[in-house]
Amino acid sequence: AMASFCLESVGTTFVSTRHAVKSIAFLKANRLRRPDLVLTFGVPLVDSHGAGLSAAESMSVHEEVYLAALDLSDAALSQRCIDVLAKRFPGSKRVRTLEAMALEAEGKFDEALARYNAILEDDPANTHVMKRRVAVISEMGNSAGAVKALIEYLDLYSSDADSWLELSRLYLGEAQYSKAAYCYEELLLLQPNNHVFHAKYAEVMYTMGGEHVKTARKYFAHSLNICPKNNARALYGLLMCCQATGAVVKKGGKGEKDGSAQSAELLELASKQLKELYACNPAQAKLLERMLTSL
């Protein structure tokens, strides 16, 4: 049933209990952060004390409504939900984690971190708590601490793509480009057909400059091979790499041997595809033409 459910089926109004349960489950499964919709569908279910729901569905709805209430700073509603969950699962690690997330939402990071550390003492391999701990440390402005905690997590769970992305973000924030590049190399091993990761890795290579620009050009081209349509990010990247490598070749005086002809060919291809991409928007097309003329 969930397979046939789609975003259009969700809607924006409460229709029925079953529709509400399916809608909340759909938003969660597809990682769509819409706390407004969760409350639209979930509050009537909470108000009815889970009438017509199984025990598992009721607890799941209360948890999702609780998280949505935290997002929207609805303290009264979040308290109602956590009271129900705490009564049903007294002292559980999940409830303790949810309570710590409320402290995060209130900006009480030291208290939240202490709660997470206490949970990890009892359950050192709790992935959700380990990631929440990283988030709190990062919010406290301790980038080095967040990096250390994230590396400890990835030592145990190296296939977590989201965590590699977060680690790359932290490294980029500290201008540690070679370490950020390593993160994207891991991501490409995990998801070799993800055109966005190819483009992001290329951007890091381009930022590092020098001989890395040729590597950047190759990965922007890979990104376009995987996703040839509506991939402006890779087209712009390829354009800049070709300009840079062409300039380097010209300055070095090595001509064809270093691929100046290839750069010129790719430059022409990227320019043509960008013009086609913006053809339906005259204002942007004009700006693009001015930019291409200045290259």
Side-chain angles (χ1 to χ4, degrees), residues 206-230:
Y206 180 82
T207 302
M208 292 171 70
E211 288 297 313
H212 296 294
V213 175
K214 292 181 181 178
T215 302
R217 183 181 66 183
K218 179 171 70 174
Y219 278 89
F220 279 128
H222 281 323
S223 179
L224 284 167
N225 280 334
I226 296 169
C227 180
K229 294 183 178 180
N230 298 321

mmCIF file of all heavy atoms in Angstrom, residues 206-230:
data_model
loop_
_atom_site.group_PDB
_atom_site.id
_atom_site.type_symbol
_atom_site.label_atom_id
_atom_site.label_comp_id
_atom_site.label_asym_id
_atom_site.label_seq_id
_atom_site.Cartn_x
_atom_site.Cartn_y
_atom_site.Cartn_z
ATOM 1 N N TYR A 206 38.926 21.254 -7.617
ATOM 2 C CA TYR A 206 39.110 22.547 -8.277
ATOM 3 C C TYR A 206 39.597 23.600 -7.281
ATOM 4 O O TYR A 206 40.472 24.409 -7.592
ATOM 5 C CB TYR A 206 37.797 22.995 -8.922
ATOM 6 C CG TYR A 206 37.889 24.323 -9.632
ATOM 7 C CD1 TYR A 206 38.389 24.402 -10.932
ATOM 8 C CD2 TYR A 206 37.478 25.497 -9.020
ATOM 9 C CE1 TYR A 206 38.487 25.618 -11.593
ATOM 10 C CE2 TYR A 206 37.570 26.716 -9.655
ATOM 11 C CZ TYR A 206 38.068 26.774 -10.953
ATOM 12 O OH TYR A 206 38.168 27.991 -11.596
ATOM 13 N N THR A 207 39.031 23.560 -6.079
ATOM 14 C CA THR A 207 39.427 24.518 -5.045
ATOM 15 C C THR A 207 40.892 24.332 -4.653
ATOM 16 O O THR A 207 41.599 25.311 -4.371
ATOM 17 C CB THR A 207 38.541 24.352 -3.796
ATOM 18 O OG1 THR A 207 37.174 24.526 -4.169
ATOM 19 C CG2 THR A 207 38.892 25.371 -2.723
ATOM 20 N N MET A 208 41.355 23.083 -4.648
ATOM 21 C CA MET A 208 42.750 22.806 -4.297
ATOM 22 C C MET A 208 43.710 23.334 -5.363
ATOM 23 O O MET A 208 44.872 23.623 -5.085
ATOM 24 C CB MET A 208 42.946 21.305 -4.081
ATOM 25 C CG MET A 208 42.214 20.787 -2.844
ATOM 26 S SD MET A 208 42.201 18.984 -2.710
ATOM 27 C CE MET A 208 43.914 18.639 -2.353
ATOM 28 N N GLY A 209 43.242 23.471 -6.603
ATOM 29 C CA GLY A 209 44.030 24.083 -7.666
ATOM 30 C C GLY A 209 45.182 23.233 -8.170
ATOM 31 O O GLY A 209 45.318 22.055 -7.839
ATOM 32 N N GLY A 210 46.030 23.854 -8.997
ATOM 33 C CA GLY A 210 47.194 23.159 -9.537
ATOM 34 C C GLY A 210 46.800 21.979 -10.409
ATOM 35 O O GLY A 210 45.846 22.036 -11.182
ATOM 36 N N GLU A 211 47.536 20.878 -10.258
ATOM 37 C CA GLU A 211 47.264 19.679 -11.027
ATOM 38 C C GLU A 211 45.912 19.052 -10.679
ATOM 39 O O GLU A 211 45.383 18.235 -11.439
ATOM 40 C CB GLU A 211 48.385 18.650 -10.804
ATOM 41 C CG GLU A 211 49.687 19.018 -11.475
ATOM 42 C CD GLU A 211 49.542 19.082 -12.997
ATOM 43 O OE1 GLU A 211 48.962 18.152 -13.578
ATOM 44 O OE2 GLU A 211 49.989 20.086 -13.584
ATOM 45 N N HIS A 212 45.364 19.420 -9.515
ATOM 46 C CA HIS A 212 44.064 18.866 -9.102
ATOM 47 C C HIS A 212 42.934 19.323 -10.024
ATOM 48 O O HIS A 212 41.878 18.690 -10.068
ATOM 49 C CB HIS A 212 43.741 19.279 -7.665
ATOM 50 C CG HIS A 212 44.700 18.741 -6.643
ATOM 51 N ND1 HIS A 212 44.815 17.393 -6.379
ATOM 52 C CD2 HIS A 212 45.594 19.364 -5.837
ATOM 53 C CE1 HIS A 212 45.731 17.207 -5.441
ATOM 54 N NE2 HIS A 212 46.214 18.386 -5.098
ATOM 55 N N VAL A 213 43.152 20.413 -10.769
ATOM 56 C CA VAL A 213 42.113 20.924 -11.664
ATOM 57 C C VAL A 213 41.797 19.913 -12.767
ATOM 58 O O VAL A 213 40.642 19.761 -13.183
ATOM 59 C CB VAL A 213 42.543 22.273 -12.272
ATOM 60 C CG1 VAL A 213 41.519 22.754 -13.303
ATOM 61 C CG2 VAL A 213 42.685 23.326 -11.169
ATOM 62 N N LYS A 214 42.803 19.189 -13.225
ATOM 63 C CA LYS A 214 42.575 18.169 -14.247
ATOM 64 C C LYS A 214 41.700 17.042 -13.691
ATOM 65 O O LYS A 214 40.831 16.507 -14.387
ATOM 66 C CB LYS A 214 43.901 17.615 -14.751
ATOM 67 C CG LYS A 214 44.727 18.623 -15.554
ATOM 68 C CD LYS A 214 46.015 17.996 -16.046
ATOM 69 C CE LYS A 214 46.845 19.010 -16.830
ATOM 70 N NZ LYS A 214 48.138 18.431 -17.285
ATOM 71 N N THR A 215 41.947 16.693 -12.442
ATOM 72 C CA THR A 215 41.101 15.681 -11.796
ATOM 73 C C THR A 215 39.677 16.199 -11.671
ATOM 74 O O THR A 215 38.709 15.461 -11.894
ATOM 75 C CB THR A 215 41.654 15.326 -10.408
ATOM 76 O OG1 THR A 215 42.994 14.865 -10.537
ATOM 77 C CG2 THR A 215 40.817 14.247 -9.737
ATOM 78 N N ALA A 216 39.555 17.480 -11.312
ATOM 79 C CA ALA A 216 38.230 18.103 -11.193
ATOM 80 C C ALA A 216 37.497 18.037 -12.522
ATOM 81 O O ALA A 216 36.303 17.693 -12.576
ATOM 82 C CB ALA A 216 38.370 19.547 -10.733
ATOM 83 N N ARG A 217 38.205 18.341 -13.605
ATOM 84 C CA ARG A 217 37.591 18.304 -14.936
ATOM 85 C C ARG A 217 37.043 16.913 -15.248
ATOM 86 O O ARG A 217 35.937 16.756 -15.762
ATOM 87 C CB ARG A 217 38.622 18.718 -15.989
ATOM 88 C CG ARG A 217 38.068 18.792 -17.404
ATOM 89 C CD ARG A 217 39.138 19.193 -18.402
ATOM 90 N NE ARG A 217 40.174 18.147 -18.516
ATOM 91 C CZ ARG A 217 41.267 18.266 -19.277
ATOM 92 N NH1 ARG A 217 41.456 19.373 -19.978
ATOM 93 N NH2 ARG A 217 42.144 17.291 -19.335
ATOM 94 N N LYS A 218 37.829 15.904 -14.902
ATOM 95 C CA LYS A 218 37.416 14.520 -15.169
ATOM 96 C C LYS A 218 36.151 14.160 -14.396
ATOM 97 O O LYS A 218 35.228 13.542 -14.946
ATOM 98 C CB LYS A 218 38.557 13.571 -14.783
ATOM 99 C CG LYS A 218 38.225 12.102 -15.003
ATOM 100 C CD LYS A 218 39.448 11.217 -14.818
ATOM 101 C CE LYS A 218 39.873 11.145 -13.369
ATOM 102 N NZ LYS A 218 40.970 10.173 -13.170
ATOM 103 N N TYR A 219 36.069 14.592 -13.128
ATOM 104 C CA TYR A 219 34.906 14.210 -12.314
ATOM 105 C C TYR A 219 33.665 15.032 -12.638
ATOM 106 O O TYR A 219 32.543 14.544 -12.503
ATOM 107 C CB TYR A 219 35.261 14.260 -10.826
ATOM 108 C CG TYR A 219 35.975 13.007 -10.394
ATOM 109 C CD1 TYR A 219 37.358 12.897 -10.478
ATOM 110 C CD2 TYR A 219 35.258 11.888 -9.951
ATOM 111 C CE1 TYR A 219 38.023 11.728 -10.122
ATOM 112 C CE2 TYR A 219 35.905 10.721 -9.593
ATOM 113 C CZ TYR A 219 37.282 10.647 -9.684
ATOM 114 O OH TYR A 219 37.921 9.479 -9.341
ATOM 115 N N PHE A 220 33.855 16.267 -13.084
ATOM 116 C CA PHE A 220 32.700 17.019 -13.592
ATOM 117 C C PHE A 220 32.150 16.317 -14.838
ATOM 118 O O PHE A 220 30.931 16.222 -15.030
ATOM 119 C CB PHE A 220 33.089 18.459 -13.933
ATOM 120 C CG PHE A 220 33.139 19.386 -12.753
ATOM 121 C CD1 PHE A 220 34.273 20.164 -12.497
ATOM 122 C CD2 PHE A 220 32.054 19.500 -11.887
ATOM 123 C CE1 PHE A 220 34.312 21.026 -11.409
ATOM 124 C CE2 PHE A 220 32.085 20.370 -10.794
ATOM 125 C CZ PHE A 220 33.230 21.129 -10.562
ATOM 126 N N ALA A 221 33.058 15.822 -15.671
ATOM 127 C CA ALA A 221 32.639 15.096 -16.871
ATOM 128 C C ALA A 221 31.920 13.798 -16.494
ATOM 129 O O ALA A 221 30.908 13.427 -17.106
ATOM 130 C CB ALA A 221 33.855 14.798 -17.750
ATOM 131 N N HIS A 222 32.426 13.102 -15.446
ATOM 132 C CA HIS A 222 31.745 11.895 -14.958
ATOM 133 C C HIS A 222 30.328 12.224 -14.514
ATOM 134 O O HIS A 222 29.381 11.477 -14.787
ATOM 135 C CB HIS A 222 32.514 11.291 -13.778
ATOM 136 C CG HIS A 222 33.720 10.498 -14.172
ATOM 137 N ND1 HIS A 222 33.759 9.712 -15.296
ATOM 138 C CD2 HIS A 222 34.928 10.361 -13.583
ATOM 139 C CE1 HIS A 222 34.953 9.131 -15.390
ATOM 140 N NE2 HIS A 222 35.675 9.514 -14.361
ATOM 141 N N SER A 223 30.187 13.326 -13.794
ATOM 142 C CA SER A 223 28.872 13.741 -13.308
ATOM 143 C C SER A 223 27.913 13.953 -14.473
ATOM 144 O O SER A 223 26.744 13.556 -14.420
ATOM 145 C CB SER A 223 28.998 15.025 -12.484
ATOM 146 O OG SER A 223 27.739 15.459 -12.012
ATOM 147 N N LEU A 224 28.414 14.559 -15.555
ATOM 148 C CA LEU A 224 27.574 14.801 -16.732
ATOM 149 C C LEU A 224 27.246 13.509 -17.472
ATOM 150 O O LEU A 224 26.170 13.377 -18.058
ATOM 151 C CB LEU A 224 28.278 15.780 -17.677
ATOM 152 C CG LEU A 224 28.250 17.240 -17.216
ATOM 153 C CD1 LEU A 224 29.213 18.067 -18.032
ATOM 154 C CD2 LEU A 224 26.839 17.802 -17.315
ATOM 155 N N ASN A 225 28.166 12.558 -17.453
ATOM 156 C CA ASN A 225 27.881 11.263 -18.079
ATOM 157 C C ASN A 225 26.740 10.552 -17.354
ATOM 158 O O ASN A 225 25.895 9.915 -17.968
ATOM 159 C CB ASN A 225 29.130 10.374 -18.056
ATOM 160 C CG ASN A 225 30.109 10.738 -19.169
ATOM 161 O OD1 ASN A 225 29.707 11.272 -20.194
ATOM 162 N ND2 ASN A 225 31.377 10.462 -18.956
ATOM 163 N N ILE A 226 26.732 10.672 -16.025
ATOM 164 C CA ILE A 226 25.713 10.009 -15.218
ATOM 165 C C ILE A 226 24.374 10.739 -15.333
ATOM 166 O O ILE A 226 23.316 10.127 -15.433
ATOM 167 C CB ILE A 226 26.151 9.936 -13.742
ATOM 168 C CG1 ILE A 226 27.412 9.073 -13.605
ATOM 169 C CG2 ILE A 226 25.036 9.363 -12.869
ATOM 170 C CD1 ILE A 226 28.078 9.159 -12.245
ATOM 171 N N CYS A 227 24.449 12.070 -15.307
ATOM 172 C CA CYS A 227 23.225 12.894 -15.375
ATOM 173 C C CYS A 227 23.419 13.993 -16.428
ATOM 174 O O CYS A 227 23.815 15.107 -16.094
ATOM 175 C CB CYS A 227 22.932 13.500 -13.999
ATOM 176 S SG CYS A 227 21.453 14.535 -13.949
ATOM 177 N N PRO A 228 23.170 13.693 -17.696
ATOM 178 C CA PRO A 228 23.449 14.662 -18.762
ATOM 179 C C PRO A 228 22.452 15.808 -18.864
ATOM 180 O O PRO A 228 22.736 16.821 -19.499
ATOM 181 C CB PRO A 228 23.418 13.794 -20.029
ATOM 182 C CG PRO A 228 22.541 12.637 -19.677
ATOM 183 C CD PRO A 228 22.741 12.385 -18.217
ATOM 184 N N LYS A 229 21.285 15.671 -18.254
ATOM 185 C CA LYS A 229 20.260 16.714 -18.369
ATOM 186 C C LYS A 229 20.111 17.497 -17.059
ATOM 187 O O LYS A 229 20.176 16.932 -15.976
ATOM 188 C CB LYS A 229 18.913 16.096 -18.750
ATOM 189 C CG LYS A 229 18.899 15.474 -20.142
ATOM 190 C CD LYS A 229 17.515 14.953 -20.494
ATOM 191 C CE LYS A 229 17.477 14.359 -21.909
ATOM 192 N NZ LYS A 229 16.124 13.842 -22.238
ATOM 193 N N ASN A 230 19.894 18.804 -17.187
ATOM 194 C CA ASN A 230 19.649 19.679 -16.031
ATOM 195 C C ASN A 230 20.723 19.548 -14.953
ATOM 196 O O ASN A 230 20.434 19.530 -13.763
ATOM 197 C CB ASN A 230 18.269 19.382 -15.424
ATOM 198 C CG ASN A 230 17.146 19.646 -16.404
ATOM 199 O OD1 ASN A 230 17.187 20.605 -17.168
ATOM 200 N ND2 ASN A 230 16.138 18.782 -16.403
#
